[in-house]
Amino acid sequence: QVQLQESGPGLVKPSETLSLTCTVSGGSISNYYWSWIRQPPGKGLEWIGYVSYGGSSNYNPSLKSRVTISLDTSKNHFSLRLNSVTAADTAVYYCARDLGGAYNPVFDQWGQGTLVTVSS
Amino acid sequence: DIQMTQSPSSLAASVGDRVTITCRASQSISTYLNWYQLKPGKAPNLLIYATSSLQNEVPSRFSGSGSGTDFTLTISSLQPEDYATYYCQQSYRTPLTFGQGTKLEIK
């Protein structure tokens, strides 16, 4: 059974960069697409973007200018970087495996999520 | 962006009840509709994909239906472990979007 685990700082200062890593265990990161999804407190889910096993990416236009998702097959993990954060970026951040790829994205495995708070 | 609207936003029901949650898309998404269950502090769980396909190990009391713009998730006989928040998600076009969630509470 594939397991995903998010890691990274729980507190980030405004205007700085949020950096998270999702470590995949129990299976290879190759041959799948991998996404980041977030949930602000008391709100719904927002898809941030995905990276493919080949390294291509697709981002939500609402965040595209600030986000980078990358893959490291040697470490079996993928990462999220979100620049110039504000309080509106405070959320639980989830990583997820996309079972369907680019044509029918379906998230069949998720991490438990990590809360990132943006505050000085 | 494709807007997904769920109803109701919250629902109180008793163990054994039949529960239906609806999800409406702002444009036709064929059958590119998935359902997830979220519980606090736990990894979200995929229940239904492609409108009506049951994910592995998900109990058969969960079912999905619909096409185009209107979809439903049905729990045939509510169990204590089903109290959670449920989200629909369209996979027809990026940016991928979710409904606002339906919180299922104990009556």
Side-chain angles (χ1 to χ4, degrees):
Chain A
Q1 176 80 345
V2 170
Q3 292 189 325
L4 287 71
Q5 180 66 57
E6 304 90 350
S7 60
L11 181 65
V12 181
K13 290 182 169 55
S15 81
E16 295 190 346
T17 297
L18 180 159
S19 295
L20 295 174
T21 296
C22 181
T23 300
V24 179
S25 59
S28 174
I29 203 167
S30 301
N31 300 320
Y32 288 99
Y33 284 47
W34 304 89
S35 273
W36 287 96
I37 296 155
R38 69 181 183 179
Q39 183 174 31
K43 296 187 177 181
L45 297 166
E46 180 183 31
W47 174 72
I48 299 171
Y50 69 60
V51 62
S52 76
Y53 52 85
S56 62
S57 56
N58 188 332
Y59 303 130
N60 193 321
S62 68
L63 298 167
K64 187 174 184 177
S65 64
R66 299 193 290 130
V67 68
T68 303
I69 299 175
S70 58
L71 197 72
D72 189 332
T73 55
S74 67
K75 296 181 180 178
N76 221 46
H77 73 207
F78 63 106
S79 301
L80 169 70
R81 286 176 58 87
L82 183 64
N83 301 326
S84 305
V85 297
T86 69
D89 295 310
T90 293
V92 174
Y93 285 76
Y94 296 99
C95 57
R97 186 176 76 171
D98 173 2
L99 185 63
Y103 297 104
N104 187 9
V106 179
F107 306 116
D108 73 319
Q109 297 292 337
W110 297 62
Q112 287 194 325
T114 186
L115 175 63
V116 179
T117 301
V118 178
S119 175
S120 55
Chain B
D1 299 4
I2 298 175
Q3 306 301 317
M4 307 300 293
T5 304
Q6 285 180 236
S7 61
S9 297
S10 64
L11 172 62
S14 301
V15 173
D17 283 354
R18 181 182 181 89
V19 169
T20 298
I21 298 169
T22 64
C23 179
R24 175 165 288 178
S26 60
Q27 65 179 80
S28 177
I29 58 170
S30 184
T31 57
Y32 290 86
L33 192 283
N34 312 305
W35 290 97
Y36 301 90
Q37 178 191 65
L38 270 70
K39 295 181 179 180
K42 292 193 172 184
N45 190 31
L46 172 65
L47 300 174
I48 302 279
Y49 62 95
T51 297
S52 59
S53 295
L54 196 65
Q55 173 66 347
N56 293 341
E57 300 182 6
V58 172
S60 59
R61 63 180 179 273
F62 290 92
S63 64
S65 65
S67 68
T69 60
D70 294 314
F71 302 86
T72 60
L73 172 70
T74 299
I75 308 173
S76 61
S77 178
L78 200 61
Q79 297 302 301
E81 60 267 31
D82 300 336
Y83 291 98
T85 303
Y86 293 85
Y87 289 87
C88 61
Q89 173 241 329
Q90 64 83 15
S91 53
Y92 182 77
R93 176 178 297 155
T94 59
L96 309 175
T97 47
F98 294 83
Q100 81 279 15
T102 296
K103 187 173 184 179
L104 184 50
E105 298 174 304
I106 300 172
K107 190 173 183 179

